[in-house]
Structures are given as structure tokens and as C-alpha cells.
Amino acid sequence: MAQKKVPHSIHTTCPACGTEIVIIGFDEQKPATKNKKEMKAEAKIEALRKAGVNVDNLFSMKGANGQEIIARMNGGELSIVPENDPIFSAIFAGGAVPNSRLFRRWVMAQVFHMLSYRSYYGESGFVAALQCKGYKYQWTMVLEELRVQSKLAENDVENFIARNRWFNREVVAKMCDDYVYKLRKHVEKLTVRHCKGVPYVKLKKTNVFSSDLNTKVYRPLTDAATAVSKAETPWKLFLAASYFFSLAEKWWMVYDTPMSQVFKDAYKGAGAYFTMKNLLLFHGATFKNGCVKLSQTKSLRLLEDKAAEYSDEGWRLFGLMKKLISDSNIDIEAKMAEWRK
């Protein structure tokens, strides 16, 4: 029997404006073949598993009318996974799960790798892994973050707020001040040379007379730092920070310089927040109230409350993440081995 084209529709939501989008497509199928929308619950769970979603807490169920559904168990509470879930829509559309609206799932993988970091010199742990990236990393990472935030501020306010909580104008301004302070300390340790009796120092490949340090080096940097602290929009903040970095890199940027403490704290806070959100949404993790596990809904609410409370104390949210991992019996090494497989 000849194949015929069978129409199907995919219902999803625009991540920028929230508008519902319906995509109509046609599949060449035999008359007896079911549409992908009519996949059995077990087949959907298997599709999720192949797409990398943890399905340990998902169950297929059949109602009294014979209709199959998927349910999720969290903290003893059973909830129905809706048919129009964006994850299902993505799988139906092409079998791939996009990362743009799945809460930066790669962040959790990076955090887990950094937690398990071991160097040849005996250093270990998250902070050692971060410093191993080199001092310049804190600037390139922040500049890319600010660039992305400038776009999110226009198209995705919800995600902008979540990310700006950790890397914002105040944090970048403190990073600038920290650089200027460390640069001054570095210059104080330099060998002062003389040219016809006039003292000078060498910064990178440039000779700077000691009398010109303030006007040629320090003042431009402090003026640029002031521009960062007064930036009125995310885009202007990105431009101001980019200019400061260009000056900083011109004069001094050494790999093993300790990163700014405010940067490390913000990095911990952002990493912990997005890691916990993914653990709660996709890996069956839940917070505990004493010995009682909270539901997914209550756990997510608690995460948002703590993120707001610790917005300038990322290290405390990082500690909460470690507790969540422990309470949920998540084996970091085993999880990474699962990803590699």
C-alpha cells in the first residue's frame, strides 16, 4: 500500500516573548503507523533517556479511559508531566533537546568536574580548579557573561535577572578596584631602572617613567573603573568593562595572579544556583526538612529564597549545593562516568 503524508503539529512556546507557537509538519507514514504525538508513555520515557534526561523518577500510567500518561514522583508527591512539555516538543521535532531554556545544563557538568579536580601538584577542589584557569579567565568569562546579559535584558528578562544576581555592575566594579590595587603592589616590587638619572619601570614591554605612572597608567584605569561603576545599562556595562580590560591587559596580566575574591564568590554562587536547579528539575534531587524530603515544587521555591538571601554570599549557596548533593545521595564520579558513557 502506498505511503501517505500525515500532518502533525508541535505546540511550543517562544522563549523570548512567551507566545505559543504551533508548527505544522507532514510525515510520510504507512496508514497503520501512529503519529509521534501518539507515542506510548514508555516510548516517550525512553526518548527522554536517550536525550540525556534523568528518568529515574518518571513512571508510565494508564487511566480508566485507557489513555497513557507520564507521572513524576518527588518527595512522595505524584504530579503529571503535561503533554505539551517543551522537552517532549523538542524530541518530537527532531530528537534533540536544546539547552537554551533548560537552565544552562552544561554548568552542572563543569561544576562537577571542578569539584573532582586533582592536580599533579596535590591541589584539589573547586577553587584550585578555578585558579588553574589563570587570572585572565576571570575577565574573559565576565566579559562574555556581560555580553550575553546585554542581549537577555532585551529578550529574556527572567534569565537576565537570574544571571545578573551574580555578575552585575557592583561585582565588576570591585573586580576593577582589585586589579588596580594588585597592579600597584606589583609595580612596587619592580626593579627601578634609570635613564640619564631619571627612574623608570618596565611594564610588559613598555618603559614608563616613575613620574608618569599616575597619569599614564593608574589614572586611566581608575577613570575606566569609575565608568564601570556608573554604567546605566547592561550594554554600557559591557562596553565599559571591555575598555577597562583592554587597559589592564596592556600593562599587566600574569597567569598565576590570585583571582578577585568577589569574582570567586560570584562564580561559586552562579555555579551552585544553576547546578541545584538542574539537580532538582532533572535528576530527582530534593532538599530535606530534617529527615523529610521536600517536593520538587517546595525545593525549587527554597532554592529561589536562598539564592535571594545569599545574592552577595555565593560561598554560602555553594555550601547549600554540597548539602543537596549529599542529602540526595548523588555520586559525582558516578554521574560523570554516566555522562561519558
Side-chain angles (χ1 to χ4, degrees):
M1 184 178 293
Q3 293 182 344
K4 65 178 181 178
K5 291 186 176 182
V6 180
H8 69 276
S9 62
I10 301 168
H11 295 260
T12 186
T13 304
C14 174
C17 63
T19 303
E20 184 178 7
I21 301 171
V22 180
I23 303 173
I24 305 297
F26 293 87
D27 290 330
E28 281 197 350
Q29 297 180 335
K30 295 180 181 180
T33 302
K34 290 188 177 181
N35 186 278
K36 287 184 178 181
K37 191 72 173 180
E38 300 170 352
M39 289 172 63
K40 289 184 178 294
E42 285 291 344
K44 291 178 182 178
I45 293 177
E46 182 60 25
L48 288 173
R49 181 183 289 108
K50 290 181 179 179
V53 179
N54 187 298
V55 296
D56 292 344
N57 62 336
L58 297 181
F59 304 88
S60 61
M61 303 177 66
K62 181 175 291 188
N65 61 355
Q67 181 181 2
E68 291 190 0
I69 60 174
I70 294 178
R72 177 186 287 116
M73 179 67 74
N74 273 297
E77 295 184 9
L78 196 67
S79 59
I80 305 301
V81 180
E83 194 67 31
N84 63 348
D85 189 288
I87 297 179
F88 289 143
S89 299
I91 292 174
F92 296 154
V97 178
N99 289 329
S100 59
R101 292 289 293 172
L102 292 184
F103 309 102
R104 309 180 76 197
R105 301 189 71 180
W106 63 270
V107 174
M108 183 178 73
Q110 178 171 293
V111 168
F112 275 24
H113 278 89
M114 293 175 70
L115 284 171
S116 60
Y117 171 77
R118 300 287 186 277
S119 76
Y120 292 110
Y121 305 102
E123 300 170 322
S124 62
F126 186 88
V127 175
L130 178 58
Q131 187 62 50
C132 185
K133 295 177 182 292
Y135 178 70
K136 185 177 179 179
Y137 172 78
Q138 75 165 28
W139 290 104
T140 55
M141 181 271 163
V142 163
L143 290 179
E144 175 61 13
E145 177 68 18
L146 295 180
R147 185 192 68 80
V148 173
Q149 285 190 23
S150 70
K151 304 299 182 182
L152 292 176
E154 300 176 357
N155 304 314
D156 191 344
V157 176
E158 179 184 352
N159 272 324
F160 168 76
I161 293 173
R163 295 174 69 154
N164 187 256
R165 174 189 284 134
W166 309 109
F167 293 101
N168 48 53
R169 182 177 62 184
E170 290 71 25
V171 167
V172 181
K174 290 178 181 178
M175 288 174 58
C176 294
D177 293 340
D178 179 75
Y179 171 85
V180 174
Y181 171 79
K182 289 174 177 172
L183 173 62
R184 288 180 178 274
K185 291 296 182 182
H186 170 70
V187 172
E188 289 175 3
K189 297 177 182 179
L190 291 176
T191 300
V192 178
R193 307 176 186 185
H194 292 81
C195 177
K196 297 182 180 180
V198 181
Y200 72 92
V201 295
K202 191 169 187 176
L203 286 174
K204 279 198 169 180
K205 297 181 179 180
T206 304
N207 295 327
V208 182
F209 289 116
S210 299
S211 58
D212 291 336
L213 280 172
N214 188 53
T215 55
K216 289 186 176 181
V217 180
Y218 299 139
R219 188 178 299 168
L221 282 166
T222 54
D223 288 347
T226 299
V228 167
S229 66
K230 294 183 177 181
E232 298 175 347
T233 67
W235 178 246
K236 288 182 179 180
L237 176 59
F238 167 67
L239 294 178
S242 297
Y243 179 65
F244 180 91
F245 174 70
S246 68
L247 294 177
E249 191 176 30
K250 172 185 176 182
W251 295 118
W252 175 68
M253 191 71 67
V254 181
Y255 173 85
D256 59 357
T257 301
M259 293 178 178
S260 165
Q261 185 59 47
V262 69
F263 167 78
K264 290 189 287 188
D265 203 40
Y267 197 87
K268 283 184 175 181
Y273 174 78
F274 290 107
T275 295
M276 284 191 283
K277 195 153 193 177
N278 279 286
L279 287 173
L280 295 174
L281 286 170
F282 305 113
H283 297 273
T286 56
F287 287 113
K288 286 184 177 180
N289 182 7
C291 296
V292 179
K293 286 188 175 182
L294 301 181
S295 66
Q296 183 188 63
T297 300
K298 291 180 179 178
S299 293
L300 288 169
R301 188 180 304 123
L302 176 62
L303 171 60
E304 295 300 330
D305 290 343
K306 290 300 182 182
E309 181 180 353
Y310 302 151
S311 60
D312 57 353
E313 296 177 294
W315 62 273
R316 297 186 68 180
L317 200 68
F318 198 80
L320 184 66
M321 178 196 69
K322 288 185 174 181
K323 186 176 187 305
L324 174 64
I325 292 173
S326 176
D327 288 348
S328 301
N329 298 316
I330 293 175
D331 187 322
I332 293 176
E333 297 293 341
K335 183 64 69 175
M336 290 193 297
E338 177 186 324
W339 293 335
R340 285 192 292 269
K341 181 179 178 181

